[in-house]
Amino acid sequence: MSVQSTKAVVLDHLVDGEVSTKNFRLESKPVPEIQDGQVLVQVVAFSHEPAQRQWIDANTDERRLYTTLIKPGETIRAPIVGRVLASKLPKYPVGTTLAGFHGWAEYAVLSEGEIFAAVPPTADGKVDLHALDVFGLAGNTAYVATAEYGKIKPGSTIVVSGAAGAIGSLVVQLAKKVFGAARVIGIAGGKAKCEWVKTLGADECIDYKSSDWEEKLRAAVPDYADIYFDNVGGPMLDVMLQLVKPNGTIVVIGAISTYNGEPLKISNWPQVIYNRLNIRGFVNLDHPELIAQGQTDFAKWIGEGKIDVDEIQTVVHEKIEDVPKTWLRLFDGSAKGKIISQIAA
Amino acid sequence: MSVQSTKAVVLDHLVDGEVSTKNFRLESKPVPEIQDGQVLVQVVAFSHEPAQRQWIDANTDERRLYTTLIKPGETIRAPIVGRVLASKLPKYPVGTTLAGFHGWAEYAVLSEGEIFAAVPPTADGKVDLHALDVFGLAGNTAYVATAEYGKIKPGSTIVVSGAAGAIGSLVVQLAKKVFGAARVIGIAGGKAKCEWVKTLGADECIDYKSSDWEEKLRAAVPDYADIYFDNVGGPMLDVMLQLVKPNGTIVVIGAISTYNGEPLKISNWPQVIYNRLNIRGFVNLDHPELIAQGQTDFAKWIGEGKIDVDEIQTVVHEKIEDVPKTWLRLFDGSAKGKIISQIAA
């Protein structure tokens, strides 16, 4: 089978300030014939990643980025799950469902290096989208964060912001149900999300949309926190500088509050000194060996019932042209877990 | 000899916001008779330490401080150099000059635990005030910063803010003349200070009072910096988040720009992630063994001509009642090196 062209969402222009649907446009792109070592794939779904925001930012210093910027006219890159329609790669015959890295298009030609793994169907025969969350970037990141940068000791107190997000909802579970933290405090936006975070194992969840969130957060860690896993930045980070124990660690996983140009206001920076804090950012691509180990460990923990993945994704069924609108939900906090656009069955 | 009372500068009230001379008042305090193991000292000089600001701040969380807050009516604590007038401590007979920890008073009774060391006179028979800079807190801190938290490799590029300050002027010298950094960039306020920083070994010095400081700073590290030693916070820290190499380190020594309640505005926080930064604060009191080693090493390096201490102090000769005004110069950037108030010959 061959496909001549595909609808694709491309970058219209780089973002300078706040991102909107105007930064994207729909185009028809040619689909080349597959060569030896390639497959033609019908894309089933993409996951939406905060990291993509940086790949389209006019102020990104490309020399320092772990990838290249997306140029105007180029398809927006994204992790995908897709179904093989034609194959010159024996490992992935026609009919295989696979996880890989391509972008916002209906059809794609992938080489072996862009393919992560084959994805077996779910028990009821559907496409398993967990390749885009727990077995995708979110899971990889949660694993590297806890395995390498914020090693959780049994009995410790852990705070996680963005606790209802794709990564946060896994970190909460890892902390409480895998690594034996004594107290896990989630921070999330809204009562419903907080209720869910508690079902994941958090002892308490602070709703940052409540007016007294700061008071509640302080009360939740009377003896301070050993590690703060920060997915958000913002005023929560400022308060947490006061609430991490001396020689404690802040793992900077994300800073979603700042990605649209909002500067961070920090009143408590001297606490970094007085409390001898370690603040550490990371990129999980630096740790391929840990990512591989994480896939194995997550499969085991899911099998043992320690990690619950039933509700860690928000799947939006839509047409390719509507994907940018869904992607923007990364920044409004309206979704639970990993946001996924599904464009085919 | 005995002294019945002393003038002392005490805390009037804790600081909430900006500190001023109104937070202090002059009092007469009784001087007790010395007991076994104590000496009576005439205080010659105090060093002024940014850390003191935290000890008098109403917003300090005392449970997390490495010392106690100073209470209203208590003498402001400070490192001192003094001369022994009476002694019941054979190690420090009458006439000894010693370095110790007491406060803003003309006379003081010190126990052995408050005495750091005897201080031999200078070659021309004067009191050696270097006990208050390179052999005091500033030297200790510069040593711990470079020996433990920001280990400088030969050939590396180092940026130091507050480079004309007490700690910065030592870090610049350590980087260039002891640890073999290839490029050392100082940041300081004003042309005269910058010229001085260059005489200490800095390859370049950025005057943050010039309108194009940011552009100049970027141009000064075209291949980015391995370590940023930050004494200041402020907009320089924000820019440096973009200019430290991936997996590079920011050693947070001080944050003088923020101590009077000015919040830090950070636009580049996501760089902590993309550049995998290590940000680390510390308190040198955690490292008594390094401090001891530092004293030995500094003496050696000074002897070898690697560390120049001729101009690393600004000594103000004044009466005790004028000390708070001089102490406030810590925050206006008007002094070079360690600021010392000398109240007796």
Side-chain angles (χ1 to χ4, degrees), chain B residues 263-282:
Chain B
L264 197 57
K265 268 191 215 152
I266 299 282
S267 297
N268 297 314
W269 190 249
Q271 299 283 330
V272 175
I273 305 167
Y274 307 129
N275 295 320
R276 302 89 151 157
L277 301 183
N278 299 291
I279 302 177
R280 176 69 206 210
F282 69 97

Side-chain angles (χ1 to χ4, degrees), chain B:
Chain B
M1 177 172 175
S2 93
V3 169
Q4 266 66 52
S5 69
T6 181
K7 284 187 192 174
V9 176
V10 304
L11 182 69
D12 187 81
H13 56 283
L14 288 168
V15 186
D16 189 5
E18 193 155 353
V19 64
S20 78
T21 54
K22 291 188 180 144
N23 292 101
F24 308 99
R25 65 172 192 264
L26 193 69
E27 272 196 6
S28 178
K29 289 261 187 188
V31 176
E33 284 290 321
I34 54 172
Q35 308 294 316
D36 281 348
Q38 294 187 319
V39 291
L40 171 68
V41 156
Q42 181 186 19
V43 179
V44 173
F46 332 101
S47 62
H48 297 313
E49 307 293 341
Q52 293 168 299
R53 177 66 183 79
Q54 187 74 3
W55 309 340
I56 58 171
D57 196 296
N59 300 306
T60 297
D61 180 352
E62 198 172 12
R63 280 177 64 200
R64 289 159 70 76
L65 197 62
Y66 50 86
T67 179
T68 53
L69 279 174
I70 298 174
K71 285 167 200 61
E74 284 183 3
T75 302
I76 302 299
R77 297 195 289 261
I80 66 163
V81 162
R83 193 176 290 113
V84 177
L85 299 182
S87 175
K88 289 190 176 174
L89 182 55
K91 223 166 139 183
Y92 302 106
V94 171
T96 311
T97 300
L98 53 76
F101 195 78
H102 186 77
W104 293 355
E106 293 183 315
Y107 297 94
V109 170
L110 272 68
S111 301
E112 190 165 7
E114 297 162 302
I115 300 169
F116 301 147
V119 178
T122 62
D124 55 356
K126 291 188 179 159
V127 175
D128 189 348
L129 297 181
H130 288 308
L132 296 174
D133 50 52
V134 65
F135 296 109
L137 286 192
N140 298 344
T141 304
Y143 191 86
V144 173
T146 51
E148 180 74 15
Y149 296 104
K151 290 178 183 170
I152 297 166
K153 293 195 183 126
S156 59
T157 297
I158 305 297
V159 178
V160 183
S161 68
I167 298 169
S169 60
L170 292 171
V171 173
V172 165
Q173 297 191 69
L174 289 169
K176 190 72 185 185
K177 300 189 282 191
V178 173
F179 298 119
R183 270 179 75 67
V184 177
I185 313 300
I187 307 174
K191 275 189 191 175
K193 279 192 189 174
C194 264
E195 284 310 311
W196 179 59
V197 167
K198 285 197 259 183
T199 69
L200 298 175
D203 298 277
E204 289 190 49
C205 183
I206 311 300
D207 173 6
Y208 71 77
K209 291 182 175 172
S210 70
S211 57
D212 58 349
W213 68 266
E214 184 176 335
E215 199 184 320
K216 282 184 180 154
L217 179 55
R218 289 181 193 280
V221 286
D223 297 318
Y224 309 112
D226 295 275
I227 308 175
Y228 175 45
F229 291 96
D230 187 16
N231 290 291
V232 174
M236 288 164 257
L237 172 58
D238 196 19
V239 172
M240 285 306 302
L241 291 177
Q242 297 185 305
L243 298 179
V244 174
K245 288 180 189 174
N247 289 302
T249 297
I250 297 180
V251 182
V252 186
I253 301 174
I256 197 90
S257 74
T258 68
Y259 292 167
N260 279 315
E262 186 81 10
L264 197 57
K265 268 191 215 152
I266 299 282
S267 297
N268 297 314
W269 190 249
Q271 299 283 330
V272 175
I273 305 167
Y274 307 129
N275 295 320
R276 302 89 151 157
L277 301 183
N278 299 291
I279 302 177
R280 176 69 206 210
F282 69 97
V283 169
N284 64 33
L285 292 174
D286 294 340
H287 301 282
E289 73 302 334
L290 280 180
I291 290 175
Q293 183 62 43
Q295 304 266 326
T296 307
D297 285 348
F298 270 126
K300 179 171 149 273
W301 294 327
I302 292 167
E304 293 168 356
K306 287 182 177 163
I307 298 288
D308 179 0
V309 296
D310 283 354
E311 296 185 58
I312 65 165
Q313 55 185 221
T314 295
V315 179
V316 180
H317 296 264
E318 62 193 339
K319 291 183 181 163
I320 179 108
E321 39 268 61
D322 295 321
V323 168
K325 217 174 55 208
T326 299
W327 181 81
L328 286 167
R329 292 181 63 186
L330 283 172
F331 308 103
D332 70 12
S334 70
K336 209 175 78 174
K338 175 54 72 187
I339 313 177
I340 292 169
S341 286
Q342 184 164 5
I343 60 168

